[in-house]
Structures are given as C-alpha cells and as structure tokens.
Amino acid sequence: MGQYVAPLRDMQFVLHELLRVEDELKQMPAHADLDADTINQVLEEGGKFSSEVLFPLNHSGDREGCHYDKETRTVTTPKGFKEAYKQFVEGGWPALSCDPDFGGQGLPLVLNNTFYEMINSANQAWSMYPGLGHGAYECLHAHGTPELKAMFLPKLVSGEWTGTMCLTEAHCGTDLGLLRSKAIPQADGSYAITGSKIFISAGEHDMAENIVHLVLARLPDAPEGSKGISLFLVPKFIPNKDGSLGARNPIFCGAIEEKMGIHANSTCQMNLDGATGWLIGEPHKGLNAMFVFMNAARLGVGMQSVGVTEVAYQNALAYAKDRLQMRSLSGVKAPDKAADPIIVHPDVRRMLLTAKAYAEGARAFSSYIGLMIDRELNHPDEEVRKDAADIVALLTPVIKAFITDNCWIAASDCLQVFGGHGFISEWGMEQYLRDCRINMIYEGTNGIQALDLLGRKILLDNGAKMRKFGALIQNFVEENGLDENMSEFIGPLADLGEKVTKLTMEIGMKAFQNQDEVGAASVPYLRIVGHLVYAYFFAQMAKISLEKLDSGDDFYKAKLATARFYFARLLPETAGLIRQARAGASTLMALDADLF
C-alpha cells in the first residue's frame, strides 16, 4: 500500500546548506559539540524507523481504527500500534530533544522537528500519541513545581508515560473563557477536579502505562472569562512516591468519536469525577502556562502537514511515472509503450510541482522556526534570544495555518493525479486527504490563527515583530539585488514585501474605525504573509542552487526548477489575495443575519 522514503537529501540541504545549523548551534553552549555527522545519523535512523515500522501500519490502522470497551472504559489501539510504540521508546526517540536533567538526550529542537516530519509522513494518527506527550513535557518543564517535575518529567521523557491537553468542552471550543470544569482545593494541597472534556486526542489508549492529562478548570474564587482559568496535572494513575503506579484516578473515557480521518488515534470524551490533580503555574493563569503546550502543538500540527504533503507527493509521483494514458501533446515520449506515462502531461506536472513546492517550502520554513526556538532557548545573548522569540511568536500562526492549508491543496492534487484510483481506498490517497483535514481545525482553527497573526502579533505591537522579519528579507534583497541571475527571484520578493507593508498599514488604519476590518482581512492576509515567507526561503534556496549548478549534482537543478515554478505559478496568487484583503468588511457584514 503505497510507499514512503524519508527525503534525507532535502532535509540535509535545508539543515546544512540553507540554515547552516552547525554554525548556528556552535553559538549555543548546550549544542556546541553537535556535528553534521551526528545529525545525519539521527535522520537516517529516524527515516528507517518511520518507513519500516510506522508506515506499514498507516493504512491498516486507518481501516481498523480504535476500539472502545464500555465496560472498562478503555481504548485499544489498532494492531501493531502498541508494539511500534515499544520500539519507539526502546530506541530513545521520545527523549531526543528533552532536558538531560530528566533523562533527555539534549539534542536541538530543529532536529526533533525534522524527525517528527518523518513519523508524520509515515503515520500521522500514530505520531499524535508521542507528540502530545512531548507537548505535555514542554509545558510541565516550563511551569511545573520542582516536585511535579521530579515525579512526572522522567517518565514523560522516556516515553513510559504519554500526555494530553484537555481544553475543549461541549459548549466551548475556541472560546475557553466559557469552560465550566471545576477544581476544589484539598487539604493536602491537591485539587478535586470535576467536569467533561471533548475532542481529547490520545485521551485513553493502551500504548503507555500512564497518561498525564493537562486539564483546564476553574477554582471556586475564579473570575469570569479566560482570566479565571487554571491549569492542573491529572494523571490516569496517581503515582506512588517511588514512581510506581498507584490508585486509578477517576478520569475516564466516556466514548471515542467517529471521525472523518485519523481513525487510529483515539479522540475521546473525558469525564472527571473528583479526579485528583495538582496546580501547574499560578492560579487563574492557566492559559499562560498552557500556551507553551498550545504553541508546541501548533508547530506540531504544521509538522503533521509537512509530513502528509511529502508522502502524498511521493506516491503521486511514483504513480505518474508508471501510469500510461494518452500521448504527449508535443509528441510521443515512450514509443515502446501503448501510451506515455502521465507525468508527460502539463497539468499532471502542475499538480506534482504544486505538492513538491509546498512540501519543500514548508520544510525550509518549519526547520527555520525550529532553529529559532533553539536560539530563543539556548543562545547566550539576551538580545538574540528576544529577537528569535519575536520571530517565533509572529510566525507560529503562519506555520499552523499556511502549511495546513497548503497540505489540503497538495493532498487533493495528489489524489487527482490518480484519477478514479485516488478516490478508492486501495491506493491510500484518500486517507491522506481525510487525515490532513483536521489539521486546519484543531489547535485553533486557521481563521483563529489569521486573527492572531494580524490582530495580536502585528497590529497590537504596531508591526514591531513584522519589521524584524521584514528586515531579514530587506537585507537579503539588498545583498542580491545586483545579481542578474537572481533577478527573477529578488524582484518579486521585494515587490511583495513592499505590498505587505502598505497593506498592513491600510488595514491598521481601517481597524481604528471598525474592528471588523481585521476579521474581514485576516485570512487572505495570513496567506499573503505565508507566501512572503516561502518566497524568502525559495529565493535563498535558488541562490544556493545557482551557485552549485556546475557541481554535477542534479539535486540543485531540481531545486532551482521548483523555485522557478513556485515564483511563476504559486506566488502570483498573492495579487488576488491582496484585493480580497483590501475589499473591506462591508460586503461581509452588510447582510442581516436573518436574510442569509
């Protein structure tokens, strides 16, 4: 059923040639000794695990799905999932970028992200189980008490225990200020937590012996709204002092959802009936603490879509080279066969190159953000850390929304390459489309990400973060503006940068008069910014490829062709998007709701 081979050559190109991670990491004491050979070895082993262990379970896991037992209120994952997770833990993969003080390997996040691209390509539903555990680790590591860290972090780092984030309730999704779950203080310093949560990914399963739930709830004296939410750690089993499993905590799965995709991941309704939990962070400031998990999850969802885009592209490409249909419009290309392979047809190439460009652009972008997080956490210079943090904050909603939107486009195009064979389950392409659709919804819908980008990350600070990223683009333009070989890339990049600046100012002025102008412009605006980011990275990749065209390595020829396709065929979308963003709120808001 299909194929997946980790794109190691492109991953190495991004890390070593585009981002020059060894030079970057040498400036960070925690990673100064890491060399290219070690990075490549980790990637090679990660690729083997992904293609040999996880990928064979993707289709079967989708067909079988998870099993819920009403009597025991437990979930059994599809055949092979538990065994694959055991190999994952034995291989030390959960600990890859975790703190050595808690048993981690201390490798950089940029490397961990690249590994997660692979496992997401191989099996998105499976990858969510360890991915959520890593998010719980990051949140607890940042905001947990020393006692909670000592008890829970080593198990999360080793992968013996996994984690979840329990936010959503039936009556509140994005608007968490409406949540009703209650936390009552107990004499021993713990809390008794009661409430119901829905859409909890990996909320109950048989792959790990314990599950650490991070739960949002309200204290008795909590103010209304989002400023009255606290965060609690609620384990499935309450650990004994020696770390062994103790009593079963009354947090149970009431049902699992029937879903469009990611069938092999248990999406649970979780019921808490006086479950014991411990406060993480300060009272009433749970969202501040949970945002560590939420931002990690948004980057993680972006990585899910990088992975699915890549595997959909690989399978569509293999099919297009093998499937014979009609003759090329410009003359027979395979005279020894009854027809030409469909890869000779221009529109098939358009679909393949769209997926290829979106996969490679996303890989460069997400790897850059991973490196910026490493810089934010580990660089000795405070100013460098601050600048990196601003870039990460600015572009996190773009990572989540732009990459996932593009994945949906690419997966649909790749299915289309198969024609009718893509629509049936035998070839596996329809699963990629079903699985990736959730990526545009969870961890904040893409519309919410667009509001976050334009309203909070840009207009709220008068564009300060955006100017920092814009300065990087401007420097690159100035450095390469006189290079005739780069003109086909530098001209459009500089032009779009200027248009984004003008558009941002225009929307900001309109917003002073009517806040709905932000909501009306935000979705096309995010997509414009996403293209600006991709154009910046494709221009850099084109520069490297031009310099190495004479090396004899056809990789650079292919990279340059992909960059040219992106600038000629995908970037021009921004012209229409700018018109949409400038159209204003009136055409959206004028019609009375009763007249819809």
Side-chain angles (χ1 to χ4, degrees):
M1 175 55 63
Q3 63 181 47
Y4 172 67
V5 177
L8 295 177
R9 180 67 181 89
D10 199 55
M11 290 173 168
Q12 291 164 355
F13 169 79
V14 168
L15 294 178
H16 304 313
E17 299 180 63
L18 175 66
L19 300 179
R20 298 181 179 180
V21 293
E22 301 94 85
D23 293 340
E24 283 277 347
L25 296 172
K26 277 180 171 51
Q27 301 174 46
M28 308 173 198
H31 305 307
D33 296 332
L34 188 63
D35 58 25
D37 288 342
T38 302
I39 291 171
N40 292 343
Q41 185 178 6
V42 171
L43 295 180
E44 288 167 10
E45 292 303 314
K48 290 177 185 177
F49 176 79
S50 299
S51 61
E52 296 174 8
V53 178
L54 297 185
F55 185 73
L57 301 175
N58 190 48
H59 185 69
S60 61
D62 176 67
R63 296 292 98 183
E64 180 184 350
C66 292
H67 307 278
Y68 177 70
D69 188 320
K70 291 183 180 180
E71 297 297 321
T72 61
R73 294 179 285 185
T74 58
V75 172
T76 304
T77 52
K79 182 180 179 181
F81 270 48
K82 185 175 181 179
E83 292 75 14
Y85 187 76
K86 185 173 184 288
Q87 290 186 54
F88 180 76
V89 172
E90 289 174 348
W93 294 109
L96 201 63
S97 64
C98 295
D99 188 342
D101 288 345
F102 298 99
Q105 297 179 39
L107 291 171
L109 184 69
V110 66
L111 182 55
N112 194 60
N113 275 4
T114 306
F115 170 65
Y116 263 82
E117 181 201 320
M118 298 180 191
I119 65 173
N120 280 307
S121 280
N123 198 322
Q124 176 176 331
W126 184 95
S127 74
M128 294 169 67
Y129 293 101
L132 287 158
H134 188 77
Y137 154 81
E138 289 192 348
C139 182
L140 187 60
H141 188 266
H143 292 284
T145 64
E147 294 78 15
L148 288 178
K149 289 181 180 181
M151 178 60 72
F152 290 94
L153 282 184
K155 298 289 189 179
L156 286 170
V157 167
S158 69
E160 294 171 76
W161 298 353
T162 60
T164 74
M165 52 194 304
C166 296
L167 286 70
T168 306
E169 299 180 3
H171 59 283
C172 69
T174 298
D175 192 355
L176 292 171
L178 298 175
L179 70 81
R180 298 170 184 158
S181 295
K182 300 294 184 183
I184 307 300
Q186 304 297 293
D188 63 357
S190 68
Y191 295 81
I193 302 168
T194 300
S196 295
K197 302 287 183 176
I198 64 168
F199 303 158
I200 308 306
S201 300
E204 169 61 24
H205 58 81
D206 61 345
M207 288 166 56
E209 63 181 15
N210 202 5
I211 303 173
V212 179
H213 302 280
L214 300 192
V215 181
L216 291 179
R218 292 186 181 281
L219 293 167
D221 61 343
E224 294 294 320
S226 61
K227 294 183 179 179
I229 299 173
S230 299
L231 179 62
F232 301 89
L233 186 155
V234 183
K236 178 179 177 179
F237 290 95
I238 300 173
N240 296 314
K241 290 184 178 181
D242 63 0
S244 62
L245 296 185
R248 180 68 164 89
N249 211 2
I251 175 170
F252 289 100
C253 176
I256 56 175
E257 304 291 351
E258 296 291 333
K259 312 186 296 290
M260 174 181 177
I262 54 169
H263 294 155
N265 191 269
S266 56
T267 304
C268 302
Q269 300 171 19
M270 301 300 297
N271 300 316
L272 299 90
D273 186 13
T276 298
W278 293 271
L279 184 69
I280 297 177
E282 298 179 40
H284 316 315
K285 294 186 178 180
L287 279 183
N288 292 344
M290 185 59 102
F291 262 116
V292 174
F293 199 157
M294 292 165 71
N295 283 329
R298 288 167 181 171
L299 178 57
V301 172
M303 298 312 302
Q304 288 177 338
S305 289
V306 182
V308 173
T309 303
E310 173 64 32
V311 71
Y313 165 69
Q314 287 190 21
N315 283 274
L317 176 63
Y319 185 84
K321 288 182 175 181
D322 183 68
R323 176 70 166 172
L324 304 179
Q325 290 286 283
M326 303 187 299
R327 290 297 187 185
S328 167
L329 295 174
S330 58
V332 175
K333 299 296 188 290
D336 58 326
K337 297 178 180 177
D340 289 332
I342 62 173
I343 197 169
V344 306
H345 302 306
D347 194 57
V348 172
R349 286 177 167 241
R350 175 191 61 80
M351 292 185 285
L352 290 172
L353 282 165
T354 296
K356 179 177 173 63
Y358 279 149
E360 293 180 9
R363 182 171 300 118
F365 178 26
S366 58
S367 296
Y368 169 76
I369 292 299
L371 183 59
M372 289 302 100
I373 295 174
D374 284 321
R375 194 187 277 183
E376 174 189 354
L377 297 177
N378 298 293
H379 201 282
D381 188 315
E382 182 179 356
E383 192 65 27
V384 172
R385 294 197 303 272
K386 174 65 167 58
D387 287 344
D390 284 345
I391 294 293
V392 171
L394 173 73
L395 296 180
T396 292
V398 185
I399 280 272
K400 197 279 181 184
F402 191 62
I403 293 179
T404 60
D405 280 347
N406 293 339
C407 178
W408 173 254
I409 294 167
S412 181
D413 277 349
C414 289
L415 183 152
Q416 188 77 11
V417 168
F418 281 73
H421 291 285
F423 195 69
I424 62 175
S425 63
E426 177 184 354
W427 292 86
M429 298 305 293
E430 53 85 34
Q431 182 188 343
Y432 297 132
L433 200 61
R434 288 187 290 104
D435 283 354
C436 79
R437 187 59 184 86
I438 187 59
N439 300 349
M440 302 159 74
I441 298 172
Y442 58 13
E443 307 311 335
T445 65
N446 287 1
I448 294 298
Q449 303 303 320
L451 281 172
D452 180 42
L453 172 68
L454 180 55
R456 186 178 302 165
K457 301 297 173 56
I458 294 179
L459 296 182
L460 197 62
D461 73 353
N462 295 313
K465 295 183 184 67
M466 189 65 174
R467 285 193 295 275
K468 285 185 180 181
F469 185 69
L472 299 177
I473 296 174
Q474 185 61 34
N475 290 340
F476 181 78
V477 167
E478 291 175 357
E479 289 170 3
N480 296 278
L482 299 179
D483 184 347
E484 290 186 9
N485 292 326
M486 285 291 291
S487 61
E488 62 184 303
F489 309 110
I490 294 299
L493 175 61
D495 179 62
L496 183 57
E498 292 174 3
K499 288 176 177 175
V500 169
T501 299
K502 292 177 181 177
L503 179 64
T504 306
M505 293 177 63
E506 181 180 334
I507 297 170
M509 293 300 293
K510 287 182 178 179
F512 278 119
Q513 305 298 321
N514 181 3
Q515 286 292 309
D516 277 339
E517 294 289 347
V518 177
S522 59
V523 169
Y525 182 88
L526 183 144
R527 192 154 184 82
I528 294 162
V529 173
H531 275 299
L532 178 65
V533 173
Y534 275 30
Y536 173 53
F537 285 111
F538 267 117
Q540 292 181 72
M541 292 189 284
K543 177 179 172 62
I544 296 168
S545 299
L546 283 166
E547 292 170 349
K548 297 187 177 182
L549 270 185
D550 295 333
S551 67
D553 187 345
D554 285 343
F555 172 86
Y556 299 106
K557 185 185 298 183
K559 181 65 71 175
L560 184 59
T562 306
R564 284 174 170 153
F565 170 85
Y566 173 80
F567 273 85
R569 290 275 183 163
L570 300 180
L571 188 63
E573 178 191 9
T574 55
L577 292 168
I578 290 171
R579 292 189 66 180
Q580 289 180 35
R582 295 184 65 189
S586 61
T587 54
L588 296 175
M589 308 307 294
L591 187 61
D592 189 272
D594 293 335
L595 298 179
F596 271 81

